Amino acid sequence: MTIIPEQITIRIAEATDAESIAQLFYETIHQVNRQHYSEEQLQAWAPAIQPAEYWIARQNRLTTFVANHAGTLAGFAELDLQSEPARIDCFYGHKDYQRRGIGTRLMTTLKQFSLNSDIDELRAEVSLTALPFFQRHHFEIIREQQVYRNGIQLTNFLMKCSLR
């Protein structure tokens, strides 16, 4: 599938996006991240599709951006401007839209929004799968981490990106 950049729209998420976000989150973890994590780890990370209310509550405390392509939610990213330094929480691309520029458009939007909000640095906890993407977007590894989800250990990386 060829995607023309003008066909991608990025906007702030609305409550009506919550079910699509929930589905995308679950499917991306279970289908894209399986190249780096075991079935047990994937189940611990995303044991079920969370209800829309869970994602709406997140939208109420984080700035959530969604990427749409031809009526499909192709990706989403959450920005926590209340933490110090500001951090990217979730950053996920639809399983059928990997390596098509959606993530780059979302990252560009997050960085510009952060700069406009007077943020100098972003941090993120990044999966093994997303590590090369974040490195291409000028994030540097602070440290490798072992985190626990539902009692199961997963490896990720704490990363930072200077915006100025």
Side-chain angles (χ1 to χ4, degrees):
M1 159 187 356
T2 301
I3 296 177
I4 300 167
E6 295 79 29
Q7 295 174 327
I8 303 166
T9 57
I10 308 262
R11 61 174 172 74
I12 297 288
E14 300 169 357
T16 55
D17 296 313
E19 286 185 22
S20 294
I21 289 171
Q23 188 75 30
L24 186 150
F25 176 81
Y26 182 84
E27 287 180 358
T28 300
I29 289 170
H30 283 272
Q31 295 184 31
V32 176
N33 294 86
R34 81 172 35 260
Q35 63 186 304
H36 294 104
Y37 296 93
S38 70
E39 187 61 37
E40 179 183 45
Q41 290 171 317
L42 299 174
Q43 273 305 118
W45 187 350
I49 297 174
Q50 295 292 328
E53 295 77 25
Y54 171 84
W55 293 100
I56 291 168
R58 291 178 70 89
Q59 289 172 16
N60 289 335
R61 61 180 178 54
L62 305 169
T63 303
T64 305
F65 294 92
V66 294
N68 281 284
H69 177 258
T72 299
L73 185 82
F76 80 98
E78 297 172 333
L79 191 56
D80 183 351
L81 298 174
Q82 304 307 313
S83 66
E84 185 57 41
R87 68 183 182 87
I88 296 171
D89 200 321
C90 287
F91 193 104
Y92 290 88
H94 190 288
K95 64 182 176 58
D96 296 333
Y97 284 83
Q98 298 290 307
R99 294 174 178 78
R100 291 192 167 42
I102 305 292
T104 295
R105 288 283 308 277
L106 276 168
M107 185 62 76
T108 300
T109 300
L110 291 183
K111 287 181 174 182
Q112 190 57 57
F113 186 87
S114 297
L115 281 168
N116 292 345
S117 300
D118 230 12
I119 303 295
D120 295 328
E121 178 181 286
L122 286 175
R123 295 222 176 165
E125 291 189 19
V126 177
S127 70
L128 290 163
T129 310
L131 179 62
F133 172 84
F134 275 80
Q135 288 174 319
R136 281 192 304 275
H137 289 275
H138 309 289
F139 278 76
E140 301 170 11
I141 296 172
I142 296 172
R143 69 177 171 272
E144 181 175 324
Q145 305 182 127
Q146 303 305 314
V147 298
Y148 289 85
R149 299 288 180 264
N150 294 311
I152 303 298
Q153 183 177 314
L154 294 94
T155 299
N156 74 13
F157 298 88
L158 178 61
M159 301 186 80
K160 69 178 179 176
C161 178
S162 176
L163 299 177
R164 299 192 195 268

